[in-house]
Amino acid sequence: MLKIIDLHARVEGEEIEILKGINLEINKGEVHAIMGPNGSGKSTLAKVIAGHPAYEVTSGQVLFEGEDILEMDPDERARLGLFLAFQYPVEVPGVSNSMLIREAVNAVRKERGQEEFDPLEFEDFIIDKLKLVEMDEKFLDRSVNAGFSGGEKKRNEILQLAAMEPRLSLLDETDSGLDIDALRIVSEGINKLRSSENSFMLVTHYQRILNYIKPDKVHVLINGRIAKSGGSELALELEDQGYDWLVGDAHVNGEA
Amino acid sequence: MSRLTEAEAVETAASRKYKYGFTTKMEYEEFPRGLNEDIIREISRRKNEPEWMLEFRIKAFHHWLTMEEPDWPNVNYQKPNYDDIIYYSSPKEKPKKESLDEVDPEILATYEKLGIPLHEQKMLQNVAVDAVFDSVSVATTFKKKLAEAGVIFCSISEAIQEHPELVKKYIGSVIPTNDNFFAALNSAVFSDGSFCFVPKGVKCPMELSTYFRINNPDSGQFERTLIIAEEGAEVSYLEGCTAPMFDTNQLHAAVVELVALEDADIKYSTVQNWYPGDENGVGGIFNFVTKRGICKGDRAKISWTQVETGSAVTWKYPSVILKGDNSVGEFYSVALTNDYQQADTGTKMIHLGKNTRSTIISKGISAGKSQNSYRGLVKIGKKADGSRNYSVCDSMLIGSECGAHTFPFIESSNNTSSIEHEATTSKIGEDQIFYLQQRGLDEEQAISLIINGFCKEVFKELPLEFAVEATKLLSIKLEGSVG
């Protein structure tokens, strides 16, 4: 599904690299958790994969279904089935949620050679998806994320994920800022969307969400590199011991 | 990652074509350049005008001679040389036509190219069109159907001939000949324009529409529009404007007067897309327009909606005088500037009657190196007890070389009235565009969606076909301007 080879990236126009040689492979049907302390490059990794224009890839490859996507615009990547659930979902005043999601779904459907939904067909389609994140229909008429609470914004991201049916979903700290009920709703939504055909990459600080969503693999990102990879038990270990023991390792191994 | 740099973005914007920039090959019957009393007398004579009309023009001309071109707008331009303008220009073919079949096919083809088929069978349903080509009105469609309802809709020249009593009564009654420099000039030399009269109790059965087109590089366009809605009458009027590309500036100094009597309702919508000049700011239309309506009777309502996307320099303040008690004035505006365009636009709401209400919704979008100013006045008179105004001025900036300015003036002489003013400035961010691109929308769709959201409150005031047109127009104008 996703293969990252020796990926280096920095903020456009700056010298210092944030990603210093990432290697990662996520197979079809797998859920990987990316953990690590603040500033380790976790969110950057998610944004670089999605094609955020603020970052510049200096070397390496990102293969999605075998195809190098680094030269593609973010929207091309999205239409291929790559979804990023934002850490800070952006407000778009005056644009209704249903309008955005319909355009998004139709963009993907067009790419896949499927017929686009008219507004009525779309309504039937989206109402099913709303149940997944326990959202009320009136969310559809509100402006995209404008005046939404933190929890509502995150649920809205999962709603969009459910509607666009991506092959690979990157969840950038979807759990941060959620109360326990919202965390449960979001996690259960994701679990229902999991299948043998799609994959997830969860970026998170905390082990908490992993109580709900059991990852196949856990990677610890420290100072722009994967310092350690393991099974779901690694997350528990981190919860006990923190990241310090790995930070030491990373410094010892670090060449830069 | 293919990301447009600032330079590339500017380049893309530069290669964008002004779609209406073609010229139509016409032979013109022209006047000598410059302005004097003889020219005015000749205009009036050609149009076979009554004596009072000529006097009106001459009086205006003498006012104009004593006036100075205003310096207060927040715009910079080389003032036109008024001695070098041709003040009357008409296609050589005799313009008075009984039916469309007699109109020069070149002109019809021009309007077709603009997407305004004059042929009735192809027309937007229920929109009557008056088309003004350079200075002369070439065709008014649906005249018969309107006449059955008692509505008069024709060129102002024709109205002066056929309905002189109405024109005489109302022309200059809202905007006096000495109101301002450009209005005085227009009053002296106006060539044509539209006239609309909706009698007492009549609801106009269709939308009325005028398209203005400047084709001749050296002629000014001075059209005059007069709309009267009698007691309880209702009318919705649309105005569209385009011009060819020239590397010189053309002057467009129009005057629009609206009169709403008791319980009347006038809705006036404009989609203005005059040629804005090229990416270096060469050429383009100077759009210096005076538009004002008066709610003369109680409970009258006047609503201005404008989508301003063209012109090199815009100077325009569609206003409402709220004279009747409980009358309502509205101003909904989207003004977009790109490249070197400059706009100084807004409104005046003059509350004179009791319990009068006004709403101002202004959305300014600036891109490129353009400057976009909102200028507004809300004035509450001594007797305007219980009057209310609500104003919103939002500005959106695209890129870092443009400017947005607001100049809201408030004068209240009545302490039982209330005035609310809200203003915001935002920037289309990389993050907003990236978010929408991540949802599968390409950059153009993303920008169009954001702009539409921003302008929604104004677009919903436009008739549906025009809302669609306005949406497309804004997207075209902004193509490539977000790096």
Side-chain angles (χ1 to χ4, degrees), chain A residues 70 73 75 79 84 157 160, chain B residues 1-2 435 438-440:
Chain A
L70 286 178
D73 283 341
D75 49 302
R79 290 193 296 269
L84 172 64
E157 293 294 287
Q160 294 176 37
Chain B
M1 229 177 292
S2 70
Y435 185 67
Q438 217 302 304
R439 297 305 181 249

Side-chain angles (χ1 to χ4, degrees), chain B residues 241-270:
Chain B
C241 331
T242 61
M245 305 188 332
F246 294 117
D247 54 10
T248 52
N249 298 107
Q250 284 83 47
L251 176 63
H252 172 251
V255 168
V256 176
E257 294 178 281
L258 312 181
V259 179
L261 302 186
E262 208 171 278
D263 293 305
D265 187 334
I266 301 177
K267 186 172 171 59
Y268 194 105
S269 314
T270 305

Side-chain angles (χ1 to χ4, degrees), chain B residues 97-149:
Chain B
K97 304 292 173 194
E98 279 309 307
S99 83
L100 285 174
D101 301 339
E102 296 171 43
V103 175
D104 190 314
E106 282 273 354
I107 293 181
L108 285 185
T110 300
Y111 280 103
E112 296 260 18
K113 263 195 230 175
L114 296 172
I116 313 149
L118 284 173
H119 296 285
E120 298 195 13
Q121 69 272 17
K122 286 196 221 155
M123 273 179 35
L124 296 170
Q125 282 216 320
N126 255 18
V127 180
V129 179
D130 185 25
V132 178
F133 197 84
D134 284 321
S135 303
V136 178
S137 177
V138 287
T140 307
T141 61
F142 276 133
K143 202 179 273 183
K144 267 189 197 148
K145 194 173 169 189
L146 289 166
E148 281 163 24

Side-chain angles (χ1 to χ4, degrees), chain B residues 272-302:
Chain B
Q272 186 262 106
N273 186 22
W274 294 119
Y275 177 55
D278 70 7
E279 68 280 4
N280 299 314
V282 176
I285 303 287
F286 290 160
N287 190 34
F288 301 147
V289 171
T290 309
K291 291 184 167 178
R292 193 177 303 153
I294 182 165
C295 290
K296 248 185 147 159
D298 295 350
R299 295 171 304 279
K301 180 178 171 190
I302 289 178

Side-chain angles (χ1 to χ4, degrees), chain A residues 12 52-53 55 70 73 75 78-79 82-84 91 93-95 100 104 107 145 157 160 164, chain B residues 1-3 430-432 434-443 445 449-450 452-454 456:
Chain A
E12 174 101 21
H52 195 293
Y55 299 95
L70 286 178
D73 283 341
D75 49 302
R79 290 193 296 269
L82 187 75
F83 183 91
L84 172 64
E91 299 187 3
V95 175
L100 169 63
N145 295 323
E157 293 294 287
Q160 294 176 37
M164 292 180 74
Chain B
M1 229 177 292
S2 70
R3 175 172 178 248
E430 210 171 48
D431 276 333
Q432 227 173 8
F434 175 64
Y435 185 67
L436 297 178
Q437 281 191 289
Q438 217 302 304
R439 297 305 181 249
L441 280 58
D442 64 33
E443 189 176 326
Q445 286 174 299
L449 202 64
I450 294 166
N452 273 318
F454 180 70
K456 192 175 164 190

